[in-house]
Amino acid sequence: MKSRALIPWVVAGGIITVARRRSETVESRYSELANRLDAVLASTDQGLYGLDCAGDITFVNRSTLEQTGYTPESVLGHNAHALWHHTRADGSLYPGSECPVDRAVRSGKSEQILEDVLWRSDGTSFPVESSTYPLLENGRATGAVVTFIDVTARKLAERQSETQDAVTRVLGDSSSVGEALSPLLAAICRGLGFEIGLAWVPNADLSEIGCWASYVARGAKGAGAWLSHGVLAAGEGPAGSSLASGEAVVWRDLERQPPRRSVAPSGVPKSAVAIPVFGIASELVAVAEFFGDEVAVEEDVVDTLTTIVVQVVQHLARRSADEEIYRLREQFVANVSHELRTPLTAIDGWLQIVLGGEAGPLTDEQGKFLGIVKRNSERLTRLVGDLLLAGQIESGTFDLDLVEVDVAVLVREATELVAAAATGKQLRVSVEAPGAIIVRGDRARLMQLLNNLLANAVKFTPEGGWISVGVAVSEGTCRITVADSGIGIPTAERVHIFERFYRASSATSRGITGTGLGLAISKAITEGHGGSIWLEEEERPGTVFVVELPRVVREEAQL
Ligand code: ADP
């Protein structure tokens, strides 16, 4: 026996001492220590074993034997790496020369492995996190102690929550149930280790189901085509059984219990799980069926799948309610705007007649009051126009009449339109719009865009401030900048600023009125011209809007 045999070999129920007894005193001390050590080792659920310099096992605790399925005799004195560390998680060979445990034994430095697997006596494996602590004698490594914990439950929990996140992302990215189904099945299969995922829809009397959507991993195409083919009667296969019972069903040995009546192609996974899907009125609306190898069908997986199914149903129910509300709001706004337009046109027409003196002469006071009525009716007409346009933009029925337009001229005209209002607030307005800058655009819409930005600059800049408008050209683009020294927009709210009806707190808290439509319309006009609009990040107070439009370069070359 080699000298390493002097180290006690501790196993589940006691100590096997292979050293020759030296003396009674030594033995009793030795035995007392060993008993204590034995109790400590047996009491922990952490796997723990000792190695000598050659990597051979010198002792193991109860937990190691229970977790690996080995008997004490089959491990003691055997090389640990060869016994249960020979293969990596991906199935490839794990050379002993690359093993951190062996490295720790050789180097005398401790090692931690966060992602590792150990192999059981029955050939299955389990994920572990392990640490190796070298045993040193006079600074020289004489072996090591290895501790490990089984991280299966933690890994499973991580996998489940990652899958739920992936499902949430798919739901967020897709606009309809039909569009979401296949990516959902893919996310669940990839996350939980299934090869095939099928979604089945029942007929009205729940007597049979047909396959609605599927995900099949590469390499399982033949099995996927077979499993998703045709119609299943209630009670047939895992999905049909789940339909019949209204409960989750797990089939673990598909070779002995074929999931379909026809003859199976090769490569059908070993296990299946089927989950009934109930709608918000508790009616059975679908069955989800997954196929994978045994490892994928652990107990917890049924719970995870049930949770995911509930998550999906609730999300879709919420979304269809939101969509309905949204649709009703759109319809309401469109109807109201349309109905308002007719009386407004009539008011405007009659006002023209009265103001023009056709209904008899007006006193100065009557003229003044009717002027106020006219201005307000024009405001209302603009508002209704904005509402109608916003509806058209939303429904994609918004048209542009494109001609060649000089943006520099347009900017000067738009600035003149707000000049009176700016002067009324003692705002300094500067314009820099050199030369002719030609874009292909809809003149009226571009004017509306500039007017929105400039009217906002006037509206949101307190008295005595300034507004600066600039047009500049660069390769193929024309850049319009509208800056002001006004109240600004809080940074956190900037992302919403181009949304319809959104109004920043800096405006609402000061009681400045508006509809929140102008910028949404401005964005649609800009994008309709192939351009972009954004809010520049600025250190100083105030706001800077930038619009960039594609430019007709031919015109510039002629200048
Ligand atoms: P409205 O001006 O009718 O409220 P808009 O869509 O034109 O609607 O603008 C949306 C919101 O953006 C405004 O309510 C305001 O909070 C903010 N905003 C737009 N332009 C400016 C600006 N120049 N300075 C500060 N805030 C602005």
Side-chain angles (χ1 to χ4, degrees):
M1 181 100 7
K2 291 190 244 167
S3 63
R4 69 166 192 268
L6 288 169
I7 299 168
W9 286 358
V10 183
V11 295
I15 297 174
I16 301 169
T17 308
V18 293
R20 288 200 181 280
R21 293 175 182 187
R22 295 261 171 92
S23 74
E24 287 301 311
T25 342
V26 172
E27 187 185 335
S28 70
R29 259 190 69 74
Y30 199 51
S31 159
E32 188 193 323
L33 271 174
N35 277 337
R36 263 194 231 155
L37 187 57
D38 183 26
V40 172
L41 296 183
S43 66
T44 175
D45 284 334
Q46 215 172 49
L48 205 147
Y49 59 93
L51 299 174
D52 64 15
C53 283
D56 293 346
I57 299 168
T58 53
F59 63 87
V60 284
N61 74 339
R62 169 193 57 82
S63 178
T64 303
L65 295 174
E66 280 174 9
Q67 292 185 65
T68 58
Y70 282 106
T71 59
E73 300 74 38
S74 55
V75 298
L76 293 172
H78 290 269
N79 184 277
H81 188 82
L83 193 68
W84 54 44
H85 205 206
H86 43 80
T87 306
R88 294 186 207 267
D90 62 7
S92 63
L93 194 73
Y94 197 165
S97 54
E98 293 172 19
C99 172
V101 177
D102 286 358
R103 190 163 58 229
V105 175
R106 285 194 308 273
S107 68
K109 291 201 183 100
S110 58
E111 292 268 357
Q112 278 208 321
I113 320 176
L114 299 179
E115 301 271 333
D116 207 3
V117 289
L118 287 185
W119 294 84
R120 299 190 184 92
S121 60
D122 66 3
T124 59
S125 66
F126 59 104
V128 295
E129 208 177 281
S130 75
S131 301
T132 305
Y133 303 96
L135 295 170
L136 300 172
E137 229 173 73
N138 301 326
R140 210 172 54 83
T142 57
V145 173
V146 182
T147 64
F148 66 89
I149 46 167
D150 182 343
V151 290
T152 308
R154 201 187 69 204
K155 290 254 166 226
L156 186 67
E158 279 170 12
R159 229 168 57 193
Q160 290 174 349
S161 91
E162 278 164 20
T163 310
Q164 273 171 286
D165 289 349
V167 164
T168 309
R169 277 198 299 278
V170 170
L171 289 172
D173 290 348
S174 47
S175 55
S176 67
V177 186
E179 193 185 301
L181 264 188
S182 290
L184 275 177
L185 291 170
I188 296 171
C189 287
R190 289 197 196 108
L192 300 180
F194 291 110
E195 285 164 60
I196 297 165
L198 307 172
W200 298 89
V201 187
N203 60 356
D205 63 1
L206 305 186
S207 58
E208 52 183 36
I209 41 178
C211 191
W212 185 18
S214 63
Y215 165 78
V216 180
R218 228 186 293 154
K221 294 282 176 218
W226 178 64
L227 288 163
S228 61
H229 182 70
V231 167
L232 297 179
E236 186 187 346
S241 304
S242 181
L243 169 74
S245 66
E247 284 176 10
V249 168
V250 177
W251 285 21
R252 286 187 196 282
D253 189 354
L254 299 186
E255 232 168 81
R256 259 198 251 147
Q257 189 183 16
R260 302 290 184 263
R261 289 212 189 99
S262 53
V263 179
S266 61
V268 175
K270 287 195 216 131
S271 316
V273 53
I275 308 280
V277 181
F278 295 99
I280 34 170
S282 300
E283 75 289 16
L284 196 143
V285 290
V287 176
E289 189 182 37
F290 298 94
F291 293 83
D293 284 322
E294 221 131 343
V295 64
V297 192
E298 292 133 352
E299 288 305 319
D300 293 18
V301 166
V302 173
D303 290 346
T304 309
L305 283 172
T306 309
T307 312
I308 289 173
V309 161
V310 171
Q311 176 192 357
V312 172
V313 169
Q314 284 177 348
H315 178 96
L316 294 176
R318 241 190 344 262
R319 193 153 79 185
S320 70
D322 287 351
E323 277 166 7
E324 183 58 10
I325 291 170
Y326 184 76
R327 199 188 57 75
L328 286 174
R329 191 184 76 178
E330 288 302 296
Q331 205 173 8
F332 176 75
V333 171
N335 290 348
V336 168
S337 335
H338 196 76
E339 290 305 315
L340 280 174
R341 209 159 55 163
T342 320
L344 271 174
T345 314
I347 291 171
D348 197 53
W350 289 113
L351 267 176
Q352 304 279 15
I353 290 171
V354 177
L355 281 169
E358 288 173 48
L362 295 174
T363 65
D364 286 352
E365 207 166 27
Q366 283 169 337
K368 196 173 119 198
F369 291 156
L370 282 174
I372 298 172
V373 174
K374 184 161 169 46
R375 274 201 303 284
N376 279 289
S377 130
E378 280 166 0
R379 235 179 100 192
L380 211 53
T381 307
R382 269 199 308 278
L383 175 62
V384 169
D386 277 357
L387 280 170
L388 280 169
L389 184 59
Q392 285 169 9
I393 290 167
E394 194 61 21
S395 61
T397 53
F398 147 73
D399 285 329
L400 289 173
D401 190 6
L402 300 182
V403 292
E404 292 198 348
V405 180
D406 185 342
V407 174
V409 171
L410 221 54
V411 163
R412 281 193 285 269
E413 281 177 15
T415 314
E416 274 161 28
L417 281 181
V418 295
T423 311
K425 286 179 86 176
Q426 285 119 47
L427 302 178
R428 275 169 293 127
V429 182
S430 63
V431 186
E432 210 168 306
I437 301 166
I438 308 298
V439 300
R440 265 191 75 71
D442 184 316
R443 201 173 187 289
R445 293 292 178 221
L446 288 177
M447 193 63 178
Q448 189 177 7
L449 155 70
L450 292 171
N451 195 257
N452 282 344
L453 297 181
L454 283 161
N456 275 349
V458 173
K459 183 161 78 167
F460 297 112
T461 305
E463 290 198 1
W466 55 262
I467 297 171
S468 150
V469 192
V471 193
V473 289
S474 66
E475 189 94 344
T477 58
C478 146
R479 176 182 279 220
I480 306 162
T481 311
V482 179
D484 63 53
S485 62
I487 59 170
I489 298 166
T491 312
E493 296 178 38
R494 291 174 173 216
V495 285
H496 302 291
I497 212 68
F498 294 102
E499 289 169 15
R500 274 192 318 160
F501 304 114
Y502 189 85
R503 308 202 63 236
S505 58
S506 45
T508 52
S509 64
R510 287 174 171 82
I512 306 175
T513 55
T515 58
L517 282 172
L519 287 181
I521 289 173
S522 303
K523 184 169 191 273
I525 293 174
T526 310
E527 290 176 354
H529 283 81
S532 43
I533 180 169
W534 68 90
L535 195 55
E536 202 87 284
E537 293 299 326
E538 286 279 319
E539 287 298 310
R540 59 164 187 77
T543 309
V544 181
F545 281 99
V546 181
V547 174
E548 224 168 52
L549 298 170
R551 191 165 61 94
V552 178
V553 179
R554 170 180 53 82
E555 293 292 330
E556 242 251 316
Q558 285 175 0
L559 286 174

